[in-house]
Amino acid sequence: MNSDEIRSAFLEYFKEKGHKVIPSSSLIPKGDPTLLLTSAGMVQIKPYFLGEADPPNPCLASCQKCFRTSDIESVGDPTHNTFFEMLGNFSVGEYFKKEAIAWAWEFVTERMKISTDKLWITIYLDDDEAFKYWREIGIPESKIIRCGEEDNFWGPAGSSGPCGPCSEIHYDFGIEQGCGRPDCQPNCECGRFTELWNLVFPQYNQDESGQRTPLPRPNIDTGMGLERLTAVMAGKKSIYETDLFMPLLDKAGELAGRKYGAKSDDDTYLRVVAEHGRAIAFLIADGVLPDNEGRGYVLRRLLRRAALFGRRLGLDKPFLTEIAKVAIKKMHHVYPELNQRQEFIIKTVTLEETRFEETLNTGLEIIDGLVKKQVGKKDAQISGADAFKLYDTYGFPVELTKEIVAQKDFSVDMEGFEKDMTRQRERARSALLRCSDCGMRLKESDKICPNCGSTNKTRGPIVFDVELKDGIKLSDSVKTEFVGYDCLEQEAKIVKIIIDGKEVNEIKAGQSAGIILDTTPFYGEMGGQVGDTGEIIGKNGKFIVTDSTHIPPDITLHQGEIKEGSLAVGEAARAVVDIERRRDIARNHTATHLLQSALRQVLGDHIQQRGSLVAPEHLRFDFSHLAAMTPDEIKTVQRIVNGMVRQNLPVQDEETDYKKAVEAGAIAIFDEKYGDVVRVLKVGEPTVSAELCGGTHVAYTGEIGYFHILSESSIGAGIRRIEAVTGRGAEDFIDRRFSTFEGAAQLLEIAPEVMHDKLSSMLNELAAEKKRVLFLERELAKHEAASLLERAETVKGVKVLAVRISSDNQQVLRETADYLRDKLKSGIVVLGAVIGGRPMFIAAVTPDLVGKGYNAGDIIKQVSKMTGGGGGGKPNFAQAGGKDKNKLDEALRLVKNLV
């Protein structure tokens, strides 16, 4: 049986047993953005075991895509792999050990027809119940091995939770394949046995102290690697000798001119290329992109490790796309996302592999040099600083460096490497450009802060001093109730007044301060949304709020200045948010949700939010994507968003359990920390967008008015940025554009409708005039050049012509130098001219003088240096520019002395 037949037989068998077959979930776990990758079939079943969701059927079966990072460095031997398919059957309180054991045995012995002589069983030490059921189906006591917790007990995912013993079915390759000891049995690491199927019996709940109590409804969680079962069914000891991998190995061998099975080292390299090439295709298809952190770092490690081992096979040009194509062709009928995203997979692999290829040779040479330096020394170790340089400058994951040097019996100073990594992160944080007044993160191009309008900037994180003079933290003493989702004006009480980080009892006109209220409609800056502005009005004074800041966990600091009268702690006050500004912010915030939905429709599900700014004037949305968007893609995204705006879809929020929200499809930001209860913002019925979000939004999408994309750009490797406007901001933008357009039409004295045709005609006329001017300049230069020949001087037997000419065209300057050099037949020409207000120089040397050691590049460097510039070129021709045009003649006079 091949892998397809085995996969189908397994699922069909459990379908006959009353199980619902569910599709594989993504390699990016849905329901927990802090979990790196899906590593078992149980990941998508876990919410059912924990009672957080109702299963579609209490009995389930699946073939799940899985990835385990722990085996990356081991890939290359005949047994290890990172990506695999896990066949599993699950019971959510429906059946338990008796049925799970009986069905597993029936499937492997009757459906797969594996000889019972080849099968052994391991159970947990005191699991007498499992022992009884294995004996009942005819397993001899001598082939049931009792093992300890390390081998046959599955603990909880964290420090507490469901856990239980397990039973494993092991396949025996034969005594000749192992260590030969008479007591050899399953769990011996000699290679004679392979674990085929693990039946886990979660029957206890473990608390934080380690105490275990029986679960009211025990569950079943089983897992069997398709690759291992396929190898057993094919009579092979290695998973790589099955139909799952042979097409990949054949392709890798064809590209490298090697044959799998001919040479041990080549086989290792071919297995790495084949396995990683397959895993790469699946990771990218599920939305993982190369990065320096998280899942993206895992993908980058695989890509670069495969590229390195390909180099050892003699593959010195990018090749991984060919391996990925074979993986897609082999597996797309089971996992259609491979076919649907093939173009994106190939593009991603090509870009990443090409980028690494540019530095691979240099990095390998550096490692070789580092190792040679240490040969013979007592400490055979690569320093942390060198390992960090390889990572930071040449793109070598430190794990890859460790693997390369380990072959030469060297190690890497990981403690030193981690110190350098920490320093780099601190430098990155300190390099962030922020507004000195409100702390808003700024772009380098921002002239003023889009939040508060300040022109004051600083680098590094803004730390708000929220400690009182007696050392008590505000968060320990006060809280602010936020009511701003439902109202924009609220009666409140002044709880604290802060000036320069210290608590005061009263402020008066002209003083700047921070005010904390017991309740507020002001939204404090958080989650990319800027803080509200407005007024706090007491009976004796008015405070103008210029910014509101959220201080975790639940304080809102209102920053600003008191304009009249005074305010004191304990007084009642009315907090009033600037309504129009809040509405502008709400339009832009809801628009970011629509934008993310549209980007996923147009570019794919790999789109993940990587940052945002929601201000009243505009919005900024950063997202993961490898290539620049095309004009058509930008137009399509804009069209989709405006379509949702025109539909006037309802925008609703609800508080719910975090796990349930993400299980239901709400988008959560990877690595963002969320509480147990979250706010979900949904757009449309049926839902077109659902995200975890604490920001403020419109009630209906029609309130957005119009959405217009201003720009799409790169802000880093694999990160794109869209800036856009909505509502009043979009209206202002369109007004400005039309005013500019109509103003241009008035200057040209034409109707706006014919602007395009008129400009095209004018540009054609201008191009023709430029050609005519260039022709005339050339003719004039020829006449001028003829007279210049008479000014050539002889310096120690060498003709030298160093003069200023009147041309303001660099091309004419070069052509004149060529003409004069040819006319001199033997000599040196240096011409100077003022072009665009700056001095320019050309030097030309005839071939006979180049042969004698005269060098145009050396001459031009010295000449241009006189005017504060620089340049260079070849020995026969060079050019340079300067800064001070007033020194042009003085520089030309230098030529004779240089010659």
Side-chain angles (χ1 to χ4, degrees), residues 181-195:
R181 295 200 322 265
D183 61 344
C184 181
Q185 59 187 23
N187 291 330
C188 177
E189 295 183 359
C190 67
R192 173 182 168 183
F193 297 92
T194 185
E195 177 199 319

Side-chain angles (χ1 to χ4, degrees), residues 100-111:
I101 288 171
W103 289 340
W105 189 254
E106 182 180 43
F107 179 77
V108 296
T109 60
E110 297 184 21
R111 296 296 174 93

Side-chain angles (χ1 to χ4, degrees), residues 40-60:
M42 194 270 288
V43 170
Q44 68 165 318
I45 310 297
K46 186 178 175 183
Y48 308 143
F49 284 175
L50 296 176
E52 297 169 350
D54 295 324
N57 188 303
C59 304
L60 302 168

Side-chain angles (χ1 to χ4, degrees), residues 530-545:
V530 300
D532 281 330
T533 62
E535 298 176 337
I536 296 175
I537 305 166
K539 63 178 182 180
N540 298 318
K542 180 189 288 187
F543 183 85
I544 304 300
V545 180

Side-chain angles (χ1 to χ4, degrees), residues 103-122:
W103 289 340
W105 189 254
E106 182 180 43
F107 179 77
V108 296
T109 60
E110 297 184 21
R111 296 296 174 93
M112 296 292 100
K113 302 197 180 304
I114 297 175
S115 169
T116 57
D117 293 339
K118 290 285 189 180
L119 300 175
W120 291 63
I121 307 299
T122 60

Side-chain angles (χ1 to χ4, degrees), residues 242-277:
T242 68
D243 68 291
L244 286 164
F245 283 101
M246 283 311 298
L248 297 157
L249 291 165
D250 288 343
K251 182 51 136 180
E254 175 193 324
L255 292 170
R258 315 288 173 99
K259 184 167 179 59
Y260 185 70
K263 188 178 176 184
S264 177
D265 283 348
D266 285 354
D267 287 353
T268 297
Y269 307 153
L270 289 167
R271 285 191 288 262
V272 171
V273 168
E275 199 284 334
H276 287 358

Side-chain angles (χ1 to χ4, degrees), residues 593-594 597 601 644 647 649 682-690:
H593 288 224
L594 302 184
S597 174
Q601 290 179 53
M644 290 187 277
Q647 290 176 53
L649 302 170
K682 294 182 179 180
V683 179
E685 294 174 350
T687 303
V688 297
S689 169

